[in-house]
Amino acid sequence: MLRSLPLAHRVFLERAMPILRDDVRIVGVAAGGSYASDSMDEHSDLDLVIAVEPEHVTAVMAKRADIAGALGPLLGAFTGEHVGEPRLLICLYGPQALHVDLKFVELSDVSTRVEDPIVLWERDGRVTAALAQGTARHPQPDPQWIEDRFWIWIHYGSSKVARGELFEAMDSLAFLRMVVFGPLMLRSAGARPQGVRRIEHAAPALADRLLATVAQYDAHSCLRAFEAAVGLYRELRPATLQFSAAESAAVEHLAARQRVRRPRGQPPVRSVAHR
């Protein structure tokens, strides 16, 4: 185990690992996330991959909650369909709250992964052998995919401001940070492009730029945030893209909303005309 492993995490693993080893249906356990990168702290989750014998996958999946409950005082758990990973069981253990992700996978599926985990225990080297059948590959942002969508997202967001649906407009800005700006910034910093996760540490100078895209519950604030989003995106996108024909229309729509919404006495906002 890591030297930096917090006490609560260490206690959980010391209690859980013998139980998992005694289950003949389980081939091995590996740890990913901040454990694999040796960057854990007291706020870290435990991300465990539990490799299962192929003939027992169905039975284990049906009993995941029971397995999780045997590992410690389980306060609550739910499956990960909302993040596109139904094999994942997201757990909160007590008495000191500890977040543990248990991902149950068939042994042959271990090779398909976004990172290289640390094997904590395995039977006859089988998890290590399965990992050797593939390489870790984290999904990378596709700049053209983003370009084809970005301006429609801008138009959508500014339309929500025009209709007075400010909470939805603010959600749209958060979506852009998660899907567009975070991944592009993190990739440029050589970090894993996973939303805006750890961006303050991986790309602090770039992260400061995101503040301008955070809006208050105010129409003018939202429009300024969308304007900032446009400027930031134009700086981040590669010049080699095939630019979307929707750009001009979306920018003009945003500018029109700014002209209508500018409060009395408020100086005009900087133009977002195409540069």
Side-chain angles (χ1 to χ4, degrees):
M1 294 186 186
L2 308 179
R3 291 183 183 178
S4 62
L5 190 65
L7 178 60
H9 301 65
R10 185 183 302 275
V11 169
F12 176 85
L13 288 175
E14 289 174 347
R15 179 178 56 210
M17 292 305 297
I19 297 171
L20 295 171
R21 283 196 297 265
D22 287 343
D23 191 329
V24 297
R25 302 170 299 180
I26 295 174
V27 184
V29 180
S34 55
Y35 189 107
S37 61
D38 195 8
S39 58
M40 298 197 79
D41 59 35
E42 62 180 316
H43 306 295
S44 297
D45 304 340
L46 263 178
D47 299 298
L48 300 182
V49 178
I50 301 175
V52 181
E53 294 280 14
E55 63 269 25
H56 294 302
V57 168
T58 300
V60 167
M61 289 296 181
K63 293 294 184 179
R64 283 178 293 173
D66 293 339
I67 295 171
L71 304 181
L74 184 63
L75 303 178
F78 58 93
T79 51
E81 287 84 358
H82 67 293
V83 291
E85 185 47 89
R87 299 174 298 177
L88 182 65
L89 190 67
I90 301 167
C91 306
L92 185 67
Y93 287 91
Q96 178 183 344
L98 178 64
H99 181 135
V100 180
D101 287 342
L102 303 174
K103 184 177 177 180
F104 295 83
V105 302
E106 184 175 334
L107 178 61
S108 60
D109 291 335
V110 168
S111 62
T112 303
R113 60 196 189 276
V114 299
E115 62 181 350
D116 288 319
I118 295 176
V119 178
L120 303 180
W121 162 80
E122 60 186 327
R123 299 188 194 278
D124 304 320
R126 294 170 65 196
V127 174
T128 299
L131 288 169
Q133 299 303 307
T135 57
R137 176 175 296 180
H138 194 279
Q140 297 293 312
D142 180 342
Q144 189 63 59
W145 183 92
I146 293 173
E147 172 69 17
D148 293 342
R149 291 159 176 78
F150 182 81
W151 302 107
I152 299 175
W153 287 333
I154 291 293
H155 176 267
Y156 176 87
S158 59
S159 294
K160 294 304 175 184
V161 179
R163 295 179 66 182
E165 298 174 359
L166 300 187
F167 282 119
E168 193 160 359
M170 293 164 73
D171 278 350
S172 296
L173 289 161
F175 174 82
L176 292 177
R177 288 191 293 272
M178 180 69 65
V179 175
V180 178
F181 299 126
L184 291 178
M185 288 176 169
L186 286 168
R187 187 176 69 170
S188 70
R192 180 186 299 176
Q194 188 174 359
V196 293
R197 189 169 186 183
R198 296 181 180 269
I199 194 168
E200 295 89 346
H201 307 290
L206 292 173
D208 287 344
R209 301 289 309 282
L210 283 179
L211 287 175
T213 71
V214 178
Q216 298 178 346
Y217 186 75
D218 171 82
H220 192 65
S221 176
C222 287
L223 292 172
R224 281 185 171 271
F226 277 110
E227 179 198 34
V230 168
L232 181 57
Y233 175 67
R234 283 173 166 165
E235 292 180 24
L236 290 173
R237 67 178 177 181
T240 55
L241 291 180
Q242 179 180 348
F243 291 165
S244 171
E247 179 172 353
S248 296
V251 167
E252 176 52 37
H253 184 269
L254 176 58
R257 303 288 76 71
Q258 291 166 324
R259 290 192 291 270
V260 170
R261 286 284 182 174
R262 182 164 60 90
R264 182 176 297 176
Q266 174 70 46
V269 297
R270 180 171 54 86
S271 173
V272 296
H274 185 71
R275 292 183 290 274

